[in-house]
Amino acid sequence: MNDLGINDEEGYWRASKEFVRLIILQLNETLKSKKISVAKRKEICTEFTFGLANFIDQQWIKPDGKTLYPVLCFSDVFQEISRSSITFPSASVELHAMVHDEIEWFFEEVRQDSTCVITGDVGDETANAEGEVDTDKPLPQPCSPCQGSGKCFCLRKGRGSATGCTRCHATGKCVHCNGEGFCKRG
């Protein structure tokens, strides 16, 4: 660690990917609420996110006549910069270069799953995960059809018996999650 923080290229890459994913997620949710089609949302998310990422990577602003360069960095402590560990960018990590891969990940792999990026309000932090976490796959979410029970409709709301059920073929397991109670995604 130096006076400025940690130059951790891999850590910055992972944090940057999650930041790009958050931009895509937030913009998609806004466009979805306005009833914009999936194809158009994907196009808008790509153009907007690439433009914003390119600005952060390669451009500047000039408020009050003074040239300033945007810097995206991540701290392990909220607003306690003097005591926190800051992960800042290396010249080899460019946000705009990851946009198209992240658009494909969001729209094709996780199918616009709004739980694929974990965020929260300051003060409501959850415990950190131990070890490496695969950020290319969203955390398992409860299966919507069975509300996470893993049980077929015949047991949850049907006649109360799996015998003769054509949905689950008498297994009693939810056909959407195979009785596991969690979505199968990505």
Side-chain angles (χ1 to χ4, degrees), residues 30-37 41:
T30 301
L31 295 170
K32 193 187 297 185
S33 74
K34 304 299 181 197
K35 311 268 191 269
I36 307 294
S37 72
R41 288 197 315 264

Side-chain angles (χ1 to χ4, degrees), residues 25-173:
L25 170 70
Q26 293 292 329
L27 182 55
N28 185 62
E29 290 299 311
T30 301
L31 295 170
K32 193 187 297 185
S33 74
K34 304 299 181 197
K35 311 268 191 269
I36 307 294
S37 72
V38 174
K40 196 66 171 171
R41 288 197 315 264
K42 187 174 180 181
E43 179 183 328
I44 292 168
C45 284
T46 301
E47 288 180 29
F48 176 81
T49 307
F50 185 87
L52 179 60
N54 194 55
F55 169 74
I56 292 170
D57 287 340
Q58 301 179 9
Q59 297 177 329
W60 48 265
I61 56 175
K62 204 164 209 150
D64 301 320
K66 182 176 179 178
T67 302
L68 298 175
Y69 302 89
V71 174
L72 177 64
C73 59
F74 303 93
S75 170
D76 63 358
V77 179
F78 179 71
Q79 295 184 354
E80 293 184 36
I81 302 303
S82 62
R83 297 187 322 129
S84 64
S85 172
I86 299 171
T87 302
F88 59 89
S90 163
S92 66
V93 177
E94 297 180 326
L95 295 177
H96 73 277
M98 67 177 71
V99 170
H100 292 287
D101 285 343
E102 298 311 310
I103 289 287
E104 288 305 308
W105 174 83
F106 181 74
F107 282 91
E108 305 304 326
E109 291 183 40
V110 299
R111 295 179 176 83
Q112 306 169 65
D113 179 0
S114 63
T115 64
C116 69
V117 177
I118 301 169
T119 64
D121 295 326
V122 173
D124 292 333
E125 290 86 352
T126 57
N128 290 332
E130 295 293 324
E132 293 279 322
V133 175
D134 184 357
T135 60
D136 286 337
K137 294 187 178 173
L139 296 175
Q141 299 297 314
C143 175
S144 296
C146 72
Q147 290 88 42
S149 72
K151 296 178 183 176
C152 178
F153 180 86
C154 64
L155 297 177
R156 289 180 293 108
K157 297 182 178 179
R159 58 184 178 270
S161 169
T163 306
C165 178
T166 57
R167 280 190 178 103
C168 67
H169 303 288
T171 65
K173 294 180 181 179

